[in-house]
Amino acid sequence: MGTGGVGEDESTSKKRCWRPEYPACVCTFADYFGLATLQPALPFYLATIGVDDVPLWAGIILSGQFAAVVLGNLVWGVAADRFGARKVLQITMVGDAIFFAATGFCRNLPLLIVVRVFAGLSTPLVPSLAYIFEKCTKEGVVAGMARYGFSVISGYMVAGAFVGAAYESLGWMVTSLITGAVAVVGFGVVTASEPPPPREPGQARPQSSGVRDAVKNPLFITFGVTCLTNGYLMMLMMNLLVFNLRDVFDFSAGQVGTVFIATTMIMIACSFYVVPRVSKRFGMRNTINGAGVAIIGLCVLLSLPFAYSHGPSRGVSSAHPPRLRDPKLEIHGAPRTLHSRESLPPHPQSRCISC
């Protein structure tokens, strides 16, 4: 990606009340809104379509999606340098709109996995960074990066609020279609933005400065691996939280989404207040290492209730499958439970839950 300082004049954009990084931030928000909406809602949807091992398949789908995000970042970063960040952002937002909306029509696991992998591949995260570097001055890049980070976190937070407030009444299909519509808005915003000036004949493409040296640096490689593992540990922690709330504490999809709002507010507080102060006192390296240890500890703590409730003496037997909650059957805040009567033979030591 090119460096900052070659883009639009900040004073010009201020006169228009439109900062040059806003289109990239809108695209990033739309992408994370669509990605994060899946996490609290997916286990409930898998249960309604009769998936046996919901935690396993939810983990596979989410892991495939975010592994595709990593691969997509590599591909679209190179494409942004070659073809321009604006064009690549348009392509990724079209992909987001198609695959987010198509998620609502997936009625089996193989199709759902494929669609969410392609949704992950359509990530605009790195093209958005390239767009900020292209359009902002050197002084404006810092502010642009701060707004970029906030768009990621706010997309996650609004997704939790959306699931908490609307999933039980809207259902899986409409929820997915709305995430696709938000991606369409992102495409419209970046399309309406001012295109970059045409490249002069014979002008070379911007070269990525320092990339080859960075990937040969052991410290950089260690830092990258640490960030990758911490990111996946964070996803594991959020998945464990969802499974605990759903299976151990019997939370509804709306209640889980509401909890997601609280966790995102904690993330925002850590990003803007805790991390800067801790890194200033202890250094960035120690802060990253400490965060990794803290996330591992949280994952262990979150795994205990789920493991305890699903232990050998407390596990759910195959003759008594877990209750399935359908958002369409939850009326006036009173959840109704679906039971497969054919699969529930009489049990001498058990009573009907609804009795």
Side-chain angles (χ1 to χ4, degrees), residues 234 237 240 244 291-304:
M234 185 62 128
M237 184 183 71
L240 287 171
N244 276 327
V293 173
I295 292 174
I296 292 174
L298 286 172
C299 288
V300 172
L301 290 176
L302 286 171
S303 67
L304 294 179

Side-chain angles (χ1 to χ4, degrees), residues 1 76-85 87-88 134 199 205-206:
M1 292 181 294
W76 297 122
V78 174
D81 281 338
R82 185 176 182 86
F83 303 107
K87 289 183 179 179
V88 176
E134 283 184 5
R199 188 176 298 161
R205 295 197 308 267

Side-chain angles (χ1 to χ4, degrees), residues 226 229-238 240 266 270 274-275 278 285-303:
T226 302
T229 53
N230 280 357
Y232 268 89
L233 283 171
M234 185 62 128
M235 296 304 303
L236 172 63
M237 184 183 71
M238 299 303 291
L240 287 171
I266 295 174
C270 289
V274 178
V275 173
V278 173
R285 185 183 302 181
N286 291 332
T287 301
I288 294 174
N289 292 336
V293 173
I295 292 174
I296 292 174
L298 286 172
C299 288
V300 172
L301 290 176
L302 286 171
S303 67

